[in-house]
């Protein structure tokens, strides 16, 4: 068995728990390693007794729409939906303009999330921009250890009201999480209503809207929409009244500010006032848990790196801060407190 075949087997059996006769929809592109990885997942699904269907569309950026045929295939409600795009799956125009209401009563801007989170009908993994090296190395991990670490961090954050994060690079920021549910991307997506990235490996929470106070200094990978870079000088992001007020540093700071501006502009052109405002919102705090992951300028892998955390500028995952962008950017060796109780010390889990 090749390394790719082994990783595909782990993904379908250990991560997704494929059962005999289940329908699996795999969406991909021809570019990069996406097609080869998807073909390996297709073949492994067949070996395990599933019913795979593979679709190919043109690559999409975070601001482009998925093809109608793709959205229709997701609406057909497969047991498992897997997205392995060269960059992104593509947005849902109906979801963006009108929205779907899930069984949970919440609004969703994509049929994928409505079926998975809102209705709890399907389970899913998505691997935007994944490379063969990342898939082979970071998917074949000790999931028991990862899930145990994730469970401890989730328990420490659940019911918390305030999170304080500091780091050697200059970060000193506080967010409110009162009433928010922490989530674990721990590679356990074996039941309807579950899903996350492959490779997996993070615990994350959406801050209360407009609750961010302080400064984040990104000294790890920056997501710049169509590329990722590691800044020569930390990028300093200040918040005022809960939103980004300034972005300073080297040329990488200008690039990040340009991405924020594009998110604002696209929303403004579409008449989406809330989305325009939220291009400067802090949508996520995530803690990396995958110790096979490396910082390689690919955010799918980089945000999972152990001893890091990431803060995303843009949309959140609680569906009350929609935006057209979600730019994950890393902070190295963070120390984190929840309501005064320390849970990370220089990146090490201490709960």
């Amino acid at each position: 068995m090749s390394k790719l075949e082994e990783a595909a087997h782990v993904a379908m059996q250990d991560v997704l728990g494929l059962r005999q006769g289940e329908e699996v929809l795999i969406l991909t592109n021809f570019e990069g390693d996406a097609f080869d990885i998807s073909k390996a997942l297709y073949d492994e699904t067949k070996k395990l007794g599933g019913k795979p269907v593979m679709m190919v569309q043109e690559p999409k950026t975070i601001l482009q729409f998925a093809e109608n045929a793709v959205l229709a295939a997701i609406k057909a409600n497969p047991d498992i939906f897997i997205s392995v795009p060269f960059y992104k799956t593509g947005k849902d125009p109906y979801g963006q303009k009108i929205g779907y209401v899930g069984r949970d009563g919440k609004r969703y801007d994509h049929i994928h999330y409505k079926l998975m989170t809102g209705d709890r009908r399907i389970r899913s993994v998505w691997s935007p921009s994944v490379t063969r090296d990342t898939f082979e190395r970071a998917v074949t991990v000790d999931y028991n250890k990862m899930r145990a670490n994730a469970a401890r961090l989730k328990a420490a954050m659940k019911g918390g009201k305030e999170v304080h994060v500091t780091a050697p690079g200059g970060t000193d920021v506080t967010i409110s999480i009162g009433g928010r549910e922490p989530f674990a991307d721990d590679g356990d997506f074996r039941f309807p209503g579950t899903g996350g990235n492959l490779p997996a490996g993070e615990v994350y929470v959406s801050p209360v809207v407009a609750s961010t106070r302080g400064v984040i200094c990104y000294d790890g990978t920056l997501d710049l929409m169509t590329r990722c870079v590691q800044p020569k000088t930390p990028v300093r992001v200040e918040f005022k009244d809960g939103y980004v007020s300034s972005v300073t540093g080297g040329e990488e700071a200008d690039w990040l500010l340009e991405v924020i501006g594009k998110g604002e502009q696209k929303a403004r052109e579409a008449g989406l006032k809330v989305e325009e405002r939220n291009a400067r919102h802090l949508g996520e705090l995530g803690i990396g848990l995958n110790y096979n992951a490396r910082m390689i300028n690919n955010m799918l892998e980089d945000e999972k790196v152990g001893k890091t955390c990431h803060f995303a500028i843009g949309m959140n995952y609680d569906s009350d801060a929609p935006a057209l962008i979600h730019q994950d950017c890393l902070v190295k060796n963070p120390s984190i407190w929840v309501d005064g109780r320390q849970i990370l010390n220089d990146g090490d889990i201490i709960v």
Side-chain angles (χ1 to χ4, degrees), residues 156-164 174-178 336-343:
M157 298 176 76
K158 189 174 179 65
K161 295 181 179 179
E162 186 173 88
V163 176
H164 181 209
T174 300
I175 62 172
S176 298
I177 61 168
I336 301 179
W337 293 261
V338 178
D339 295 339
R341 178 194 181 196
Q342 191 169 11
I343 64 172

Side-chain angles (χ1 to χ4, degrees), residues 40-60:
L41 291 166
Y42 179 98
D43 292 341
E44 189 59 34
T45 297
K46 288 184 65 177
K47 290 178 185 177
L48 292 173
K51 298 179 179 179
V53 171
M54 195 158 82
M55 298 186 71
V56 180
Q57 67 172 354
E58 290 185 343
K60 304 295 179 182

Side-chain angles (χ1 to χ4, degrees), residues 181-295:
E181 185 73 22
F183 297 95
D185 187 352
D186 61 359
D188 189 1
F189 311 129
R190 295 171 291 181
F191 303 99
T194 60
N197 283 153
L198 269 186
E202 66 171 305
V203 167
Y204 60 97
V205 67
S206 296
V208 172
V209 176
S211 70
T212 305
R213 310 184 303 279
V215 176
I216 299 173
C217 290
Y218 294 122
D219 55 356
T221 311
L222 305 174
D223 181 359
L224 299 174
M225 193 172 291
T226 58
R227 62 194 172 111
C228 291
V229 301
Q230 294 181 41
K232 300 180 184 69
T233 303
V235 173
R236 179 182 174 90
V237 180
E238 297 186 29
F239 290 82
K240 181 179 180 182
D241 299 326
Y243 293 85
V244 173
S245 59
S246 69
V247 181
T248 56
E251 60 182 352
E252 296 90 353
D254 295 333
W255 297 339
L256 180 58
L257 192 58
E258 182 180 344
V259 171
I260 293 171
K262 287 181 179 179
E264 292 174 314
Q265 180 183 351
K266 287 289 185 179
R268 186 163 52 249
E269 291 172 353
L272 301 171
K273 293 183 179 180
V274 174
E275 285 80 354
E276 180 182 356
R277 174 65 164 162
N278 286 333
R280 290 177 177 265
H281 180 253
L282 192 72
E284 177 194 6
L285 162 63
I287 301 172
L289 298 175
N290 190 322
Y291 295 96
N292 280 10
R294 303 169 185 164
M295 211 173 292

Side-chain angles (χ1 to χ4, degrees), residues 3-265:
K3 289 183 179 180
L4 181 57
E5 291 170 335
E6 180 186 0
H9 178 79
V10 168
M12 297 311 303
Q13 179 170 277
D14 299 346
V15 175
L16 285 162
L18 177 68
R19 301 168 183 89
Q20 187 81 20
E22 286 192 315
E23 294 182 345
V24 179
L25 174 63
I26 303 169
L27 174 66
T28 191
N29 310 125
F30 286 122
E31 287 73 12
D33 294 332
F35 187 83
D36 288 344
I37 294 168
S38 297
K39 180 62 164 55
L41 291 166
Y42 179 98
D43 292 341
E44 189 59 34
T45 297
K46 288 184 65 177
K47 290 178 185 177
L48 292 173
K51 298 179 179 179
V53 171
M54 195 158 82
M55 298 186 71
V56 180
Q57 67 172 354
E58 290 185 343
K60 304 295 179 182
T61 72
I62 195 171
L63 296 175
Q64 292 179 310
F65 293 123
E67 301 299 335
N68 289 332
V70 167
L71 298 172
I74 299 172
K75 288 178 185 177
N77 198 33
D79 297 291
I80 296 172
F81 172 55
I82 300 173
S83 179
V84 189
F86 179 65
Y87 192 64
K88 294 292 184 181
T89 301
K91 292 187 179 297
D92 181 333
Y94 181 91
Q96 289 286 320
K97 294 179 181 179
I98 299 174
Y100 304 93
V101 178
R103 290 182 180 178
D104 59 0
K106 296 182 180 180
R107 180 187 179 277
Y108 294 90
D109 64 5
H110 202 290
I111 187 61
H112 173 201
Y113 299 119
K114 188 260 188 187
L115 290 174
M116 183 185 70
T117 306
D119 295 350
R120 301 189 69 82
R121 289 180 176 176
I122 68 173
R123 56 198 195 275
S124 182
V125 295
W126 48 97
S127 303
S129 304
V130 70
T131 66
R132 181 168 180 154
D133 172 66
T134 291
F135 194 80
E136 292 174 350
R137 174 171 39 78
V139 171
T140 52
V141 298
D142 184 344
Y143 286 101
N144 289 331
K145 181 178 179 181
M146 179 186 291
R147 290 164 186 168
N149 285 335
R152 289 201 299 274
L153 289 175
K154 271 188 66 177
M157 298 176 76
K158 189 174 179 65
K161 295 181 179 179
E162 186 173 88
V163 176
H164 181 209
V165 183
T166 67
T171 292
D172 190 346
V173 66
T174 300
I175 62 172
S176 298
I177 61 168
R180 297 305 212 192
E181 185 73 22
F183 297 95
D185 187 352
D186 61 359
D188 189 1
F189 311 129
R190 295 171 291 181
F191 303 99
T194 60
N197 283 153
L198 269 186
E202 66 171 305
V203 167
Y204 60 97
V205 67
S206 296
V208 172
V209 176
S211 70
T212 305
R213 310 184 303 279
V215 176
I216 299 173
C217 290
Y218 294 122
D219 55 356
T221 311
L222 305 174
D223 181 359
L224 299 174
M225 193 172 291
T226 58
R227 62 194 172 111
C228 291
V229 301
Q230 294 181 41
K232 300 180 184 69
T233 303
V235 173
R236 179 182 174 90
V237 180
E238 297 186 29
F239 290 82
K240 181 179 180 182
D241 299 326
Y243 293 85
V244 173
S245 59
S246 69
V247 181
T248 56
E251 60 182 352
E252 296 90 353
D254 295 333
W255 297 339
L256 180 58
L257 192 58
E258 182 180 344
V259 171
I260 293 171
K262 287 181 179 179
E264 292 174 314
Q265 180 183 351

